[in-house]
Each structure stands twice: as structure tokens, then as C-alpha cells.
Amino acid sequence: EVQLVESGGGLARPGGSRRLSCAASGFTLSYHWMHWVRQVPGRGLVWVSRISSDGSTATYADSVKGRFTISRDNDKSTVYLQMNSLGAEDTAVYYCARDSGRPSGDLDHWGRGTLVTVST
Amino acid sequence: QSVLTQPPSASGTLGQRVSISCSGSSSNIGANSVNWYQQLPGTAPKLLIYSNSHRPSGVPDRFSGSKSGTSASLAISGLQSEDEADYFCAAWDDSLNGAVVFGGGTKVTVL
């Protein structure tokens, strides 16, 4: 069974940093691109970033470019999201999601999410 | 404000057919496939429709998707109480360096 488990959420101060992890199991992580998507509770989904299967290519939403870094360790079956210079606007539930690999670019499995709250 | 436009809400009675629209542009829906996600209250999103009209295994066939030009739609026929959820459309956007863009979501209520 495919499982994605996010961790690392919690309270962060404005201007601070947080590192999220996504532990993957039930499939071979190195075969899949991976994404982070965030959602302010009660609001819509917002795509944050994706990383290629070998980690060589990363793409970011304009809102996080230069502040967030996505990475992966296929040997550890884990994807990371390093978040720096956090602001209140980054408060959200962060989901890790697997790219199916189909040309449609759909995200076929999602974790349960981890909540990041940026506040003083 | 989301790149893809969806109505904020839709409703129907049990057994009715409900349709949700998703409007985009030539750089997203017009150029790429549309995927739909269902988010039940308090849970993570789940893939509902991929590549405009394909259902992953386990998704009931009362859910169907279509695309025409720069718009797409999701239909739920034979509405069930368990279909009460938020529904999001999504597509890659070629003008945003291939970023994934989502619609704002449509809350479906079963009356």
C-alpha cells in the first residue's frame, strides 16, 4: 500500500525556518516525481513545488521561489521541503503528493498533511 | 485568486446529477490535461479523474469528466450522501514554467 507521511510541521516565527519531511513507503520513490501542495484550512489547494525522480530538477511556485528548497533522498525514501524566511502567508497544511508519471501530471497519492503555523 | 475558475458551490438532492465547471486559458487547460481531486471533510485530497476523463481504479463510474477547449467539467450522476465534499480541478500551466494550477474548489452539498 502506498503511504506518504509528512512530518516537521509546527509553530514557526516570522522570518524563521522549518524543514518538512515526507516519508514514502509501499512503492519505489526513485521512480516518481514528487510534489508539495499547501492549503490554508478552509481554503483552496495551492501547488508549491515539485522535484524530478532523480532530484536533478526542481520547480517552484513564484510565491516561494528563493525561500523554499525541495530535495529528496531516494535511499531513505524521503522528500524534504526546506522553508526559510517564513511569513504569515505560509501558514497552511502542507501535503506531499506523488506524481503518477502519466502525461496528465496527476497526483495519485497524497499524505495526510502537516500543519505549519507562522506566528509570533 | 485561483488561476482556474470554479463555482464556489453546487448542490443537488440524492440521485440527482450535479455538474461542476472549471475554466482556464490556452496555457493551462487549453494545452494540458485536466485532473480532478475530491476532498472529503477533514481529509487529504484524493485523485478522482485524471487525463480529463479517466477514473482511477476504485472511483465509482457515477463520476465523469470532460474537457473542451479551455474549459472542463466534472459530473456526478446519481448523487450520494458520501459525495458531499470539495472538488478541485487542476492542470499544468505552460506560462508558469509548468507549475500546477488549481481551481478554487467547489463545495458540493447534498440536500
Side-chain angles (χ1 to χ4, degrees), chain A residues 14-111:
Chain A
S17 298
R18 202 82 190 176
R19 188 199 200 200
L20 305 183
S21 299
C22 170
S25 61
F27 68 101
T28 303
L29 183 65
S30 61
Y31 290 173
H32 292 267
W33 288 53
M34 296 294 293
H35 299 248
W36 287 95
V37 177
R38 68 185 181 184
Q39 183 177 36
V40 174
R43 304 287 295 277
L45 300 171
V46 177
W47 178 80
V48 174
S49 180
R50 73 167 161 261
I51 187 167
S52 60
S53 53
D54 65 358
S56 62
T57 301
T59 310
Y60 301 92
D62 287 345
S63 58
V64 306
K65 202 173 296 181
R67 300 188 300 122
F68 289 13
T69 302
I70 190 172
S71 62
R72 63 193 295 159
D73 186 332
N74 287 336
D75 291 334
K76 294 183 177 179
S77 293
T78 303
V79 181
Y80 305 98
L81 186 68
Q82 177 66 44
M83 305 186 296
N84 298 331
S85 302
L86 287 165
E89 68 277 11
D90 298 314
T91 294
V93 174
Y94 284 75
Y95 295 103
C96 170
R98 188 183 85 164
D99 193 306
S100 69
R102 288 183 279 250
S104 53
D106 57 279
L107 308 181
D108 64 349
H109 288 277
W110 297 62

Side-chain angles (χ1 to χ4, degrees), chain B residues 17-28:
Chain B
R17 184 178 188 274
V18 170
S19 184
I20 301 168
S21 62
C22 175
S23 178
S25 68
S26 59
S27 64
N28 42 64

